[in-house]
Amino acid sequence: MASSLYSNAQHVDFESVLAMDDPGMVSMFEALMASGLRGFLGCPAVVYEDALVDFFENASVRNGVVFSTVGGQIVEISEKLFAETFELPIDGLGDLSEIPKDAIFDARSIVSLSGEPINLSGRKNQMKMPFRLLCDIVAKAISVKAGSFNAITVEKFSLITAVVCGVKMNWAKFLFGVLKKMVSAKSKQAKGFAIQISLLLATFPTVELGESSEFPASKILSKKTVLRFVSINDREGAEEVTGAAKKKAVSKKRTAADIEAAVPKKKRTSKKKSISSISSLELVEVAEEAIPIQQVAESLDVEEPRCSSTDAVDLIIQQVLDETRSADAPADIDQPAVTKEKNWFDLPYDDIVKQ
């Protein structure tokens, strides 16, 4: 279906948008007109779907000219025909890489929502609302790039700079170059320019175009659709801010994983408890329990007194003294004397002589 060729397209109803009460939007559309793109972006919105399908199926580029077969008829589209049909400027820069860097630097601040230069690898929500819409226009209707329309690219911002800063561009050369990429077999350029190609094919009187169909009103930028664009982007911006605030609030809480990561883990070693340590623990636990005073008194009465080491020494000394006294004391009178037989050499000298 030919509708796939303009599923992401945008067209501009300049009369409607220039009558808006939004000065910022009106100023942006006036810049588009001043750049020389009104004839290309605001041409009559008529589409010949059958002719479009034939055109892209049979198109090719030869010597810088686009050739195709539509309804059995050969059509030839040159850069000159392209420029004249849409009244495009043919003087100025033909390549986006030639745009002055100081102009790009100035544009980064002009379109910025915060006043600080925007990041060229960021998203379009950094921009003021009119320039967010301009970012969509250059992506869908001029460069015709597939992908995320919210992301800012160098090519998109170069096109925005050309419009915002009034850089003189050879729009005929640039836009015809996009058309040639569309019909090149090895190119990754998305298909587009459905309204513009339909208008070009209508300039060939011998080509049978088939029935025409109106371009979808939802894809034409008018006062109504621009206000809808603003409403959607305001809501999305508020949701992003709310989501970011919630994410920040949640991130303040430290999870268990964060705490484990912050505190280094100590290597756990197994230790066997000694008997003394176990007994000491038991003693501590018993001591912590409350014992009635009466029970303590009774336990003191039953227990035998324990002597200290000094008392033990005194007791031993007393025992030795008692044993010494008993050894030196005379024997009892009542006990018979024990006679000890004496040998001859134990006798006195006189007794030995007598014997």
Side-chain angles (χ1 to χ4, degrees):
M1 292 294 293
S3 59
S4 63
L5 302 175
Y6 51 84
S7 58
N8 293 319
Q10 275 190 346
H11 206 57
V12 183
D13 183 351
F14 280 96
E15 291 184 2
S16 178
V17 294
L18 291 175
M20 292 180 65
D21 295 330
D22 188 333
M25 284 292 182
V26 171
S27 178
M28 184 272 290
F29 284 113
E30 287 177 345
L32 276 174
M33 291 180 58
S35 67
L37 289 170
R38 179 168 186 170
F40 182 81
L41 296 175
C43 61
V46 178
V47 175
Y48 298 96
E49 293 194 5
D50 294 338
L52 276 174
V53 173
D54 281 355
F55 174 81
F56 279 109
E57 284 182 352
N58 304 311
S60 62
V61 179
R62 305 173 199 169
N63 300 321
V65 178
V66 175
F67 287 88
S68 185
T69 303
V70 178
Q73 299 292 321
I74 297 175
V75 294
E76 179 181 338
I77 302 173
S78 63
E79 183 176 329
K80 182 180 178 181
L81 175 63
F82 192 86
E84 290 175 352
T85 304
F86 305 111
E87 300 178 350
L88 292 169
I90 57 174
D91 296 325
L93 304 179
D95 197 313
L96 295 178
S97 62
E98 299 174 358
I99 294 179
K101 292 183 179 180
D102 56 347
I104 293 177
F105 181 80
D106 292 341
R108 289 175 61 192
S109 299
I110 293 172
V111 305
S112 175
L113 181 62
S114 64
E116 297 293 327
I118 67 169
N119 184 1
L120 295 184
S121 59
R123 296 169 64 84
K124 70 179 184 183
N125 58 6
Q126 303 175 67
M127 302 180 183
K128 299 172 185 175
M129 193 62 68
F131 303 112
R132 295 187 200 180
L133 182 55
L134 179 59
C135 187
D136 275 10
I137 294 171
V138 299
K140 298 177 181 180
I142 298 178
S143 63
V144 193
K145 289 290 186 181
S148 174
F149 297 112
N150 291 323
I152 299 174
T153 63
V154 174
E155 182 181 24
K156 285 181 189 177
F157 198 76
S158 298
L159 290 168
I160 292 172
T161 301
V163 174
V164 172
C165 296
V167 178
K168 197 173 183 179
M169 290 286 296
N170 185 345
W171 288 112
K173 180 179 179 180
F174 177 81
L175 293 170
F176 189 70
V178 175
L179 176 62
K180 288 190 292 184
K181 291 178 182 177
M182 289 180 186
V183 299
S184 298
K186 296 181 180 180
S187 175
K188 295 182 180 180
Q189 174 70 51
K191 304 294 189 291
F193 294 177
I195 294 174
Q196 289 81 6
I197 294 172
S198 295
L199 189 57
L200 285 167
L201 295 177
T203 62
F204 297 92
T206 58
V207 175
E208 183 63 35
L209 298 176
E211 294 183 1
S212 64
S213 57
E214 292 186 0
F215 195 69
S218 61
K219 299 183 183 301
I220 299 177
L221 294 174
S222 60
K223 181 178 179 180
K224 181 180 178 180
T225 53
V226 170
L227 291 176
R228 183 172 178 271
F229 174 88
V230 172
S231 176
I232 292 173
N233 279 264
D234 277 341
R235 183 170 65 251
E236 289 178 353
E239 290 175 354
E240 286 182 4
V241 171
T242 304
K246 288 181 179 179
K247 187 177 181 181
K248 186 177 181 181
V250 170
S251 64
K252 289 181 180 179
K253 296 181 180 180
R254 299 183 67 187
T255 60
D258 295 333
I259 296 173
E260 290 180 0
V263 180
K265 293 184 179 180
K266 293 183 178 180
K267 191 173 182 181
R268 302 179 67 180
T269 56
S270 60
K271 283 188 177 181
K272 293 183 179 180
K273 293 183 178 180
S274 61
I275 297 176
S276 60
S277 63
I278 296 174
S279 61
S280 62
L281 288 174
E282 292 175 353
L283 289 174
V284 170
E285 292 176 359
V286 171
E288 288 177 353
E289 296 178 359
I291 302 175
I293 298 175
Q294 184 177 0
Q295 293 183 10
V296 174
E298 291 175 0
S299 63
L300 290 175
D301 293 338
V302 175
E303 288 181 356
E304 294 182 1
R306 297 181 181 180
C307 60
S308 63
S309 59
T310 305
D311 295 338
V313 172
D314 293 340
L315 185 61
I316 293 172
I317 293 173
Q318 185 64 38
Q319 185 177 357
V320 171
L321 290 175
D322 292 342
E323 291 178 355
T324 304
R325 290 193 189 99
S326 63
D328 293 341
D332 292 338
I333 299 173
D334 296 337
Q335 292 181 355
V338 178
T339 57
K340 186 179 180 181
E341 185 179 358
K342 295 183 178 181
N343 294 321
W344 63 269
F345 48 80
D346 293 327
L347 297 173
Y349 178 74
D350 293 340
D351 293 340
I352 295 174
V353 170
K354 289 179 180 181
Q355 290 181 4

